[in-house]
Amino acid sequence: MSVLFVGSELFPYVKTGGLGDVMAALPRAIRAQGVDVRLLVPAYPSIHSAVDILGEAASFPDLMGGGPARILRAEAPGLPLYLLDQPTFFDRPGGPYGHPEDLATRFAALAWAAAHLGRVGDVDGWRPDVLHGHDWQTGLMPAYVAYGDGPRPATVMTIHNIAFQGRFQASILGDLWLPRHALTPEGVEFHGDICFLKAGLKLADRLTTVSPTYAQEIQHAGGHGLEGLLAHRKESLYGIINGIDKAVWNPAKDPNLVSRYDLKHPGRRLPNRPDFQRRMGLHEDPNAPLFAAVSRLDPLKGLDLVLDNVDHLVSSGAQLAVLGTGDPHAEGAFLQAAQRHPGRVAVFIGYDEALAHRVFSAADVFLVPSRQEPCGLTQLYAQAYGVLPLVRRTGGLADTVVGVSPETLADGTATGFTFDTANGLALGDAINRALALFRDPPAWRRVQRRGMARDFGWEGPARAYLDMYGTIPAKGV
Ligand code: ADP
């Protein structure tokens, strides 16, 4: 079997969130099970300059009005790539989602190029059996397959976050190289607009999302308008939890830590804490419970609930470290909190991969109070690194953290703390439960060890994706 993954991010070259991590790790895990998975991503300069370019797979005098384009064959470590090299669209500053004036056409170009590889193949005759698109940027890919000529590869759409849908005015239909009859509710139309994600969810053979609980939520209140369509397609919708890349997120091998550790050597975790406190400007207090968050500052991430609890944390003797960027209002509020509580609250506004690794090696409790969380990766990193996650019970957070309770403490399954209601009081209550357990070190260590012993690798999820591919009936081409 052969599969082409298509998406707009790829760690470590282009990443704004979990999508980039998944695009790097999942195809490698599926390849390890003997499937020929390759990737198509835009030739952003950060990718183009970092990977080995092997040759040209296809070329076009113009693609979606963006001028000449080529598909290049390339190779990242352990991963065959195709790069969509179209300088007007992809070789410029501004990040993957800047330049709103051509957001629709440039990702339509990516989706069209993917469909081309699926229908025609590359110069060497490689043609994938399955086109597997990720998020709205690739939503038109099943439409180009459905409305195009030639062989029809199977199509799969994965939703990493349904809040982002790629909605544009219907008047641009012609710019997207779609026929007029695509603009119907059976095709790409959604409430009078063109909706890329909706097109993919309507037309792909199989749909997946990144946790079983999120797969349920998006058929109901969490569907951001697409719940009806998803409920209608529930037989084709799979919830498969993400894994973590153990080559990157492993405290025994992490080059970012001053001291590496594992389950057998938990004491080696300790030196990371004063180092982190020093770097962040926190008092080097060995006894203060250290709460932390690493997150995009977006209302859906619920960090406002943490802001509601800053004073409560400090007055309870805890420390708080926040690493994040996004909403300017939230950035300002966290910076003010740090000013109010020097040495006890530290805030880094920005994106810093190495510092994120150090957070996990130093903190005691990791806060993920999301209003919605399709899967979430940080609560998995937290458990692998011996931090107890404190999460709102939604989406993948509900599927991956077992909350402390008398029963889960007794049967040894607890790995963190959970709360349900999205408000500061409910988070405060969960914080109190965390503080109470912190005062019982043997119990704390049992929960910590349970989290560190869990296997969040990609092998299991990769097998689930293979099973899902296996359910797609063969096409008569
Ligand atoms: P989302 O994709 O919604 O942002 P996930 O939990 O799935 O949420 O993935 C977030 C990823 O981004 C994690 O790898 C996390 O460590 C990383 N991350 C988020 N904010 C920052 C930051 N400010 N600095 C470094 N890494 C960050």
Side-chain angles (χ1 to χ4, degrees):
M1 183 192 280
S2 55
V3 180
L4 184 70
F5 266 51
V6 189
S8 58
E9 299 188 21
L10 176 60
F11 175 83
Y13 315 108
V14 180
K15 167 179 159 179
T16 69
L19 172 65
D21 292 320
V22 176
M23 287 290 290
L26 176 57
R28 287 183 170 98
I30 299 179
R31 284 183 71 77
Q33 307 206 7
V35 176
D36 184 3
V37 185
R38 306 182 184 187
L39 240 76
L40 171 69
V41 290
Y44 297 116
S46 55
I47 301 182
H48 201 166
S49 61
V51 301
D52 294 329
I53 305 294
L54 306 178
E56 195 174 286
S59 71
F60 315 98
D62 173 65
L63 201 49
M64 239 36 88
R70 300 183 298 166
I71 299 176
L72 302 175
R73 281 283 328 266
E75 183 95 30
L79 202 56
L81 298 179
Y82 294 92
L83 303 183
L84 177 57
D85 179 27
Q86 193 174 20
T88 322
F89 281 158
F90 300 115
D91 186 1
R92 56 188 176 179
Y97 312 120
H99 299 279
E101 67 283 1
D102 55 38
L103 195 62
T105 41
R106 72 178 188 270
F107 287 117
L110 179 68
W112 190 95
H116 175 86
L117 283 173
R119 288 201 311 255
V120 180
D122 72 5
V123 279
D124 300 323
W126 188 80
R127 199 164 67 75
D129 302 316
V130 181
L131 292 173
H132 188 159
H134 295 263
D135 270 353
W136 75 262
Q137 294 86 358
T138 61
L140 292 187
M141 182 177 73
Y144 292 122
V145 171
Y147 299 114
D149 307 323
R152 299 218 167 139
T155 51
V156 176
M157 276 302 302
T158 293
I159 305 163
H160 295 264
N161 191 334
I162 204 161
F164 303 108
Q165 301 184 352
R167 249 176 113 149
F168 304 95
Q169 287 182 351
S171 56
I172 68 166
L173 184 80
D175 299 339
L176 303 178
W177 294 7
L178 284 166
R180 281 225 62 80
H181 62 270
L183 195 65
T184 68
E186 295 309 307
V188 306
E189 190 260 344
F190 189 54
H191 298 296
D193 289 337
I194 294 169
C195 178
F196 281 31
L197 183 61
K198 182 258 162 172
L201 300 182
K202 186 81 194 174
L203 298 168
D205 295 300
R206 290 291 178 274
L207 314 177
T208 83
T209 190
V210 290
S211 69
T213 295
Y214 195 61
Q216 292 303 317
E217 289 171 355
I218 58 178
Q219 296 176 45
H220 303 101
H224 290 257
L226 292 169
E227 53 277 355
L229 167 56
L230 287 163
H232 185 67
R233 295 216 58 194
K234 67 172 183 249
E235 304 301 331
S236 304
L237 172 62
Y238 293 70
I240 304 175
I241 203 86
N242 285 333
I244 64 178
D245 187 347
K246 288 192 276 191
V248 179
W249 291 98
N250 178 354
K253 298 199 179 131
D254 192 329
N256 301 293
L257 312 189
V258 290
S259 179
R260 285 169 271 287
Y261 58 96
D262 56 27
L263 254 184
K264 289 203 193 86
H265 307 95
R268 295 185 190 165
R269 186 173 193 264
L270 299 177
N272 292 300
R273 182 188 172 89
D275 172 73
F276 176 73
Q277 286 169 318
R278 227 177 358 259
R279 282 175 193 274
M280 294 294 286
L282 290 166
H283 296 318
E284 283 179 50
D285 180 344
N287 299 316
L290 176 52
F291 287 68
V294 177
S295 180
R296 291 185 293 116
L297 299 179
D298 175 294
L300 285 179
K301 293 288 183 185
L303 272 299
D304 52 308
L305 309 188
V306 176
L307 280 167
D308 290 344
N309 277 283
V310 168
D311 295 343
H312 172 52
L313 281 166
V314 171
S315 65
S316 308
Q319 294 186 345
L320 173 67
V322 175
L323 172 50
T325 173
D327 171 34
H329 176 75
E331 290 183 356
F334 273 114
L335 287 171
Q336 269 178 14
Q339 266 172 7
R340 268 202 329 274
H341 302 291
R344 304 213 66 92
V345 175
V347 173
F348 174 89
I349 299 297
Y351 190 96
D352 187 328
E353 191 78 26
L355 193 56
H357 283 247
R358 294 188 185 110
V359 171
F360 293 106
S361 71
D364 298 304
V365 182
F366 193 86
L367 300 165
V368 197
S370 306
R371 292 196 163 76
Q372 269 204 344
E373 194 61 77
C375 175
L377 292 170
T378 55
Q379 83 281 8
L380 305 180
Y381 303 152
Q383 289 171 78
Y385 278 64
V387 194
L388 274 51
L390 189 169
V391 305
R392 187 163 166 266
R393 207 151 53 149
T394 181
L397 301 173
D399 293 329
T400 58
V401 177
V402 181
V404 161
S405 70
E407 295 76 35
T408 59
L409 279 179
D411 67 16
T413 54
T415 65
F417 309 94
T418 62
F419 67 102
D420 288 303
T421 312
N423 65 33
L425 270 180
L427 173 60
D429 177 60
I431 287 171
N432 290 341
R433 283 182 272 130
L435 292 168
L437 193 73
F438 193 76
R439 290 190 285 272
D440 181 356
W444 184 275
R445 280 195 292 272
R446 275 198 298 280
V447 177
Q448 187 182 36
R449 278 199 299 270
R450 170 75 181 180
M452 290 180 75
R454 289 177 85 177
D455 181 6
F456 290 115
W458 274 104
E459 297 80 1
R463 268 195 300 277
Y465 278 96
L466 282 184
D467 290 346
M468 177 272 299
Y469 294 143
T471 68
I472 307 175
K475 299 246 164 127
V477 289

